[in-house]
Amino acid sequence: MGKYQKEAQDLLEFIGGKENIAAVSHCATRMRFVLNDPSKADEDKIDDIPVVKGMFTNAGQFQVIIGNDVPVFFNDFSAVSGISGVSKDAGKEAAKQNLNVIQRIVSVLAEVFAPIIPAIIIGGLILGFRNLMDGVPISAFGGQTIIEHSQFWAGVHGFLWLIGEAIFHFLPVGITWSIAKKMGTTQILGIVLGITLVSPQLLNAYGVASTAAADIPVWDFGFAQVQMIGYQAQVIPAMLAGFMLAYLEIFFRKYVPQSISMIFVPFLSLVPTVLAAHVILGPIGWAIGSQITNVVSMAIDSSFAWLFGIIYGTFYAPLVITGLHHLMLTIDLQMIADLKYTTLWPMVALSNIAQGSAVLAVVYLHRGNKKEEQVSIPSTISAYLGVTEPAMFGINLKYLYPFVAAMIGSGIAGCYITVMNVKAMGVGIGGLPGIISIQAGSQLHFAIGMLIVIVVPFVLTIFFRQRGILNKLDPVGGVVDAPTLTEEPTVNSGTVEIGTESFYAPVNGTCISITEVPDPVFSQKMMGDGFAIKPTDTNVYSPVEGKVTNIFNTKHAIGITSNLGIEVLIHMGLDTVELDGKPFEVKVAEGDSVTMNTLIATMDLEAVTSAGKQTDIIVALTNVDKAPLMTLNKTNTVTHSELIGAADVL
């Protein structure tokens, strides 16, 4: 009888039986199901299975969190169900059956934009700084701007544009590369295609409107002429061209013999795509983008602008849950390309703040609950800095009433700043820092909007809780029937501490709380307490003294049991199970004794980043009965083998 045979049988029954499973696989911590009918899964009963630590649905997959023992559980599940696992890619492909057309489009947009979002954020930050330097008169400088007052800052202002231009004007290069990467085609061809859209030989897209038609350069083919127009900062033309290149390459791979494919497949794919991009796809994409910009601008300039602001401000947060916010980012970027500003992004920044303020109210309401504060306080800070997922998924959606309070506050602020015509010069900077990207002259109105989303969600959250509005989980004066996030760990009166386990940085880098990891399985501590490090080095060492007990086949995760019995999971990167172990080299074997100076693995950071994955190395304490909480004494910059925390062992 397998270790988890009973639990596996229960899960099979509660998930709807064998006939409801289209595909199943697993990663380092969770079972990943593709269900024929997701509604048949009884989540309440599944949650009662002792080994289950949580569950959620993502990209068409129903994921059940098991923990370190997921390979053992998976084997037992396969035995009782008679279902063999599939690869992660096959699982993703099967999961598409649970996605409608809109969800599939959103999924594609998310995968295309995810690798280039860090550059967009940096670009937005740079544009924000330049906005402060050249657009805000300083009374102390006699009404001059910073660059008018100081030659040094004028030089900095000019230098920063080198980076800003590279990010936004040459955005099509990033888009076409990302599409090639997502489609599994030749990435350098995607880069070349992007360059042909923004080549200096072409008339810059920003100069087209001011150039007479007769002065636009052309390629003259004798029987036809093609205008030499660039597509700097244009999103839709780049996406159309990128997908055409990818599908042409996939098509020709099937029919061109392998012996000559290296020559003819790139040629037959790239040349027609570049021609089509400048003759058909580019003009069509430009027209579509311009129409989108015109529609949004008309809504903002109409007598119903206040209603548009309420709707967008209120419902942006739910868009984040569905993933549709990636589509909104496309519109933001298109508006900046066409108008050099966007009226949507300021509402995004205020929505971030609203979610943080709602969590801050929960902190106030639940003050003294030390365990929840480990999630709620970092989530508040994260939301105020523009990253709302920990706040929404960790606190607000769980209780619901804070989420609704944040939506209402965001809608009111959205209405106000839309009526006041607040504009952002760039995207990428959300939350409180978003004010630096706001157009000079509108920053006071944006600041008033910030005040609204700080005060209104905070007050409404408290009001809703006290009146029991939208509140079934957190009654006043009652017992909170919530997942373990809001409950203090129960320790039997006869249990005593048997010691304190020390934890060390496994790699050089920046140490953060586990609640800041952009994965709800870890940030909500479904796997237990711990910490994470954003690595700057490839060498990964053991974070604890103990023995290696588990090395995953995909090499991205290693299990170690400490000398005092704490089960520690070292998870290298996020979603790196999909990389099939290629960026990793494990240096230890199961059964090996390790210390903080033992090199246990190496991780190719560039390969992980190029695959569109994050490199965070997570250290999770998975047997919470032995060590429910961890004290992290050191954050920010750390070096491997440096003592950074401890946990009392029960």
Side-chain angles (χ1 to χ4, degrees), residues 425-439:
M425 311 309 294
V427 299
I429 319 171
L432 296 172
I435 194 169
I436 70 173
S437 66
I438 302 302
Q439 188 180 59

Side-chain angles (χ1 to χ4, degrees), residues 284-453:
I284 290 176
W286 193 318
I288 293 173
S290 297
Q291 286 303 311
I292 292 173
T293 299
N294 291 338
V295 168
V296 175
S297 297
M298 287 174 59
I300 296 295
D301 295 334
S302 72
S303 58
F304 294 99
W306 60 273
L307 180 60
F308 178 85
I310 289 176
I311 293 174
Y312 194 83
T314 301
F315 293 102
Y316 179 79
L319 290 180
V320 175
I321 299 172
T322 63
L324 281 169
H325 64 300
H326 293 289
L327 179 60
M328 299 300 105
L329 177 61
T330 304
I331 298 174
D332 271 310
L333 292 171
Q334 189 65 48
M335 290 186 70
I336 291 174
D338 292 342
L339 306 175
K340 296 188 178 180
Y341 66 81
T342 173
T343 51
L344 301 183
W345 187 259
M347 287 185 275
V348 174
L350 294 181
S351 178
N352 300 153
I353 300 170
Q355 292 294 327
S357 298
V359 179
L360 188 63
V362 173
V363 174
Y364 171 76
L365 291 168
H366 295 170
R367 55 194 180 278
N369 189 330
K370 300 300 182 184
K371 187 168 186 179
E372 184 176 78
E373 287 175 357
Q374 293 185 11
V375 176
S376 57
I377 292 176
S379 296
T380 302
I381 297 171
S382 177
Y384 279 162
L385 294 178
V387 180
T388 57
E389 282 80 357
M392 287 196 298
F393 293 106
I395 299 293
N396 291 345
L397 282 170
K398 183 180 70 178
Y399 293 125
L400 184 59
Y401 68 90
F403 186 73
V404 176
M407 288 174 59
I408 294 172
S410 180
I412 295 172
C415 174
Y416 175 77
I417 67 169
T418 301
V419 171
M420 294 302 168
N421 201 26
V422 174
K423 302 172 182 176
M425 311 309 294
V427 299
I429 319 171
L432 296 172
I435 194 169
I436 70 173
S437 66
I438 302 302
Q439 188 180 59
S442 297
Q443 290 171 328
L444 176 60
H445 294 303
F446 185 79
I448 294 173
M450 291 170 64
L451 184 63
I452 292 172
V453 290

Side-chain angles (χ1 to χ4, degrees), residues 441-499:
S442 297
Q443 290 171 328
L444 176 60
H445 294 303
F446 185 79
I448 294 173
M450 291 170 64
L451 184 63
I452 292 172
V453 290
I454 290 172
V455 174
V456 173
F458 187 91
V459 173
L460 280 180
T461 298
I462 295 173
F463 176 78
F464 285 168
R465 196 225 184 184
Q466 297 299 329
R467 297 300 178 93
I469 300 173
L470 299 171
N471 181 7
K472 296 180 180 180
L473 188 63
D474 189 22
V476 178
V479 178
V480 178
D481 181 21
T484 56
L485 286 175
T486 59
E487 299 173 0
E488 290 296 332
T490 300
V491 180
N492 294 332
S493 58
T495 301
V496 296
E497 296 178 7
I498 62 174

Side-chain angles (χ1 to χ4, degrees), residues 8 81 125 157 339 364 373 422 457 462 470 551 562 575 599 642:
S81 65
L125 191 64
H157 180 269
L339 306 175
Y364 171 76
E373 287 175 357
V422 174
I462 295 173
L470 299 171
I551 298 174
S562 77
D575 288 328
L599 180 66
E642 181 179 358

Side-chain angles (χ1 to χ4, degrees), residues 271-287:
V271 175
T273 301
V274 174
L275 181 61
H278 287 279
V279 177
I280 303 171
L281 301 179
I284 290 176
W286 193 318

